[in-house]
């Protein structure tokens, strides 16, 4: 997330003066020249990390966004992570399929983002934060995006709901 924020903030000039209006402080921001399309192509992905499902996309050369199908060919990936006693982590559709039989399957973790609440994984005897579980989903999506694009993904923009507070935004 910090990388994406750095990229986006580099597009603006924050050295401009600030003004106060009706007791509120505002920065006067000037946009710099728009980067060329090559910057966006195959190096930056957009991820919508959802409570139930997530989706990843990229900008094509024509400027249109295209959803990247997951390894099972679906446009959305369940936001589910399952853990096995041997340390294996399963993410997405395969994890969702075994939710009933594997008690160490985590779903809807986004609801806990920004809290101090942890999830206990019995088979590993380990507590994980919502951020750690979400990171496994994001890493999985980044990996299959790289496989699909045939290039290393260098930056990502991750969506957050408008109602998220600052702690939830930062945790995402």
């Amino acid at each position: 997330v910090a990388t994406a924020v750095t990229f986006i903030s580099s597009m603006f000039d924050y050295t401009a003066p600030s003004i106060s209006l009706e007791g509120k402080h505002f920065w006067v921001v000037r946009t710099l020249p728009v980067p060329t399309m090559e910057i966006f192509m195959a190096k930056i992905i957009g991820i919508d990390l959802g409570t139930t499902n997530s989706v990843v996309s990229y900008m094509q050369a024509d400027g249109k966004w295209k959803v990247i199908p997951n390894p099972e060919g679906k446009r959305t990936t369940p936001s589910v992570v399952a853990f096995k006693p041997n340390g294996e982590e399963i993410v997405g559709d395969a994890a969702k399929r075994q939710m009933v039989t594997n008690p160490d399957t985590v779903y809807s973790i986004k609801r806990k983002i920004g809290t101090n609440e942890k999830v206990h994984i019995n088979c590993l005897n380990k507590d994980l934060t919502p951020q750690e579980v979400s990171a496994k989903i994001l890493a999985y999506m980044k990996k299959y995006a790289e496989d699909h694009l045939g290039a290393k993904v260098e930056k990502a923009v991750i969506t957050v709901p408008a109602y998220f507070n600052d702690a939830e935004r930062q945790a995402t």
Side-chain angles (χ1 to χ4, degrees), residues 63-109:
K64 294 182 181 174
W65 286 89
K66 182 174 182 181
V67 171
I68 300 171
N70 68 18
E72 297 198 13
K74 297 179 181 175
R75 295 170 51 89
T76 60
T77 299
S79 300
V80 180
V81 181
F83 299 88
K84 289 190 165 187
N86 65 2
E88 183 184 0
E89 298 170 357
I90 304 167
V91 181
D93 289 296
K96 183 179 178 182
R97 280 193 296 272
Q98 62 160 13
M99 280 176 50
V100 175
T101 59
N102 183 349
D104 290 320
T105 302
V106 182
Y107 59 94
S108 297
I109 196 65

Side-chain angles (χ1 to χ4, degrees), residues 4-20:
V5 171
T6 302
F7 170 74
I8 292 168
S9 65
S10 69
M11 295 173 60
F12 297 95
D13 178 8
Y14 288 102
T15 60
S18 62
I19 59 170
S20 291

Side-chain angles (χ1 to χ4, degrees), residues 103-121:
D104 290 320
T105 302
V106 182
Y107 59 94
S108 297
I109 196 65
K110 185 174 169 183
R111 296 181 197 281
K112 297 179 182 180
I113 285 184
T115 70
N116 292 327
E117 195 171 336
K118 292 186 177 186
V119 177
H120 185 73
I121 308 302

Side-chain angles (χ1 to χ4, degrees), residues 104-148:
D104 290 320
T105 302
V106 182
Y107 59 94
S108 297
I109 196 65
K110 185 174 169 183
R111 296 181 197 281
K112 297 179 182 180
I113 285 184
T115 70
N116 292 327
E117 195 171 336
K118 292 186 177 186
V119 177
H120 185 73
I121 308 302
N122 291 319
C123 69
L124 304 177
N125 196 26
K126 186 175 182 182
D127 290 332
L128 297 177
T129 65
Q131 294 85 335
E132 290 172 314
V133 176
S134 295
K136 294 177 186 315
I137 298 166
L138 294 171
Y140 174 73
M141 297 184 81
K142 177 184 181 240
K143 167 84 172 81
Y144 78 71
E146 289 175 336
D147 292 346
H148 178 83

Side-chain angles (χ1 to χ4, degrees), residues 42-64:
K43 292 185 175 36
I44 301 174
I45 57 174
I47 299 176
D48 180 4
L49 179 63
T51 303
T52 306
N53 292 296
S54 297
V55 66
V56 61
S57 60
Y58 72 101
M59 186 182 287
Q60 300 177 110
D62 62 3
K64 294 182 181 174

